[in-house]
Amino acid sequence: QYTYPCIVKPLESAKGDKRDITICADVTALSKCLKHYEENGTTALIQEYILSQTEISTMGVSFGPKKECRLPNVIVKERFSNKSATYAKVMPIAQRPDFADTAEKIKQLIRSIGYTGIFDLDFLYSDGKYYFIELNLRNGAYGYGFTRGGLNFPADWCRYMLSGELPGQYEQ
């Protein structure tokens, strides 16, 4: 039993691409979509479709499981319709107090898996709740924007890996 609309995408992103992501309005559309996945030998992931005009993205750097994990800013992206531009604003997490608890949980997660390096995460924000989209354990699409804003995660991480010394604190 599914709630409609629902979103269908490859269970393993490496076995599909963005064109395989489909929003199904009803059981007929879902059946057609699942038939396509079966014909291509791809396992489908079916999720509730969450209508949201706000996406929250953040990028951080971890200096190891027993060291600091820094997550200073968020990018708030507002979508006003499917056919118009997206507007984004970078702000310190302190200016988004409803995200502070989530940010602490992200740091705990990164430390708990023992990750050292740059990472980013994406969330949808709808009806006062954050919905996790993805975690990338790499320098993601926002890396250059953060660097232009004065947060040079790649340089800080490289310096740490070469010297073992943590870089100075980031300004909020």
Side-chain angles (χ1 to χ4, degrees), residues 8-10 12-22 37 42:
V8 182
K9 52 189 167 184
E12 297 178 54
S13 59
K15 293 186 178 178
D17 63 34
K18 295 211 184 265
R19 293 175 298 196
D20 294 323
I21 299 172
T22 306
Y37 274 73
T42 305

Side-chain angles (χ1 to χ4, degrees), residues 43 61 82 93 117 136 140 166:
T43 303
V61 60
N82 290 338
I93 286 178
N136 297 301
L166 291 173

Side-chain angles (χ1 to χ4, degrees), residues 61-171:
V61 60
S62 173
F63 298 104
K66 301 207 185 297
K67 299 275 185 187
E68 255 186 89
C69 181
R70 295 182 181 174
L71 197 68
N73 291 346
V74 293
I75 297 175
V76 180
K77 295 186 281 186
E78 300 287 344
R79 300 182 198 288
F80 294 100
S81 79
N82 290 338
K83 296 180 181 173
S84 72
T86 298
Y87 299 92
K89 180 179 181 181
V90 179
M91 65 179 66
I93 286 178
Q95 289 182 15
R96 188 89 190 191
D98 62 328
F99 192 76
D101 186 50
T102 301
E104 287 306 311
K105 289 177 183 175
I106 292 167
K107 291 177 187 179
Q108 290 171 8
L109 169 70
I110 295 298
R111 281 190 205 103
S112 74
I113 63 174
Y115 181 72
T116 300
I118 301 165
F119 61 92
D120 68 35
L121 294 100
D122 295 317
F123 297 84
L124 289 178
Y125 182 74
S126 180
D127 294 326
K129 294 184 200 173
Y130 289 96
Y131 295 88
F132 173 77
I133 298 174
E134 68 178 341
L135 164 64
N136 297 301
L137 298 175
R138 59 177 166 73
N139 188 17
Y142 308 114
Y144 182 70
F146 279 102
T147 300
R148 291 283 297 171
L151 298 171
N152 195 339
F153 295 132
D156 289 346
W157 182 72
C158 286
R159 277 190 217 102
Y160 170 74
M161 294 304 291
L162 292 170
S163 71
E165 293 181 28
L166 291 173
Q169 290 295 316
Y170 302 131
E171 290 183 31

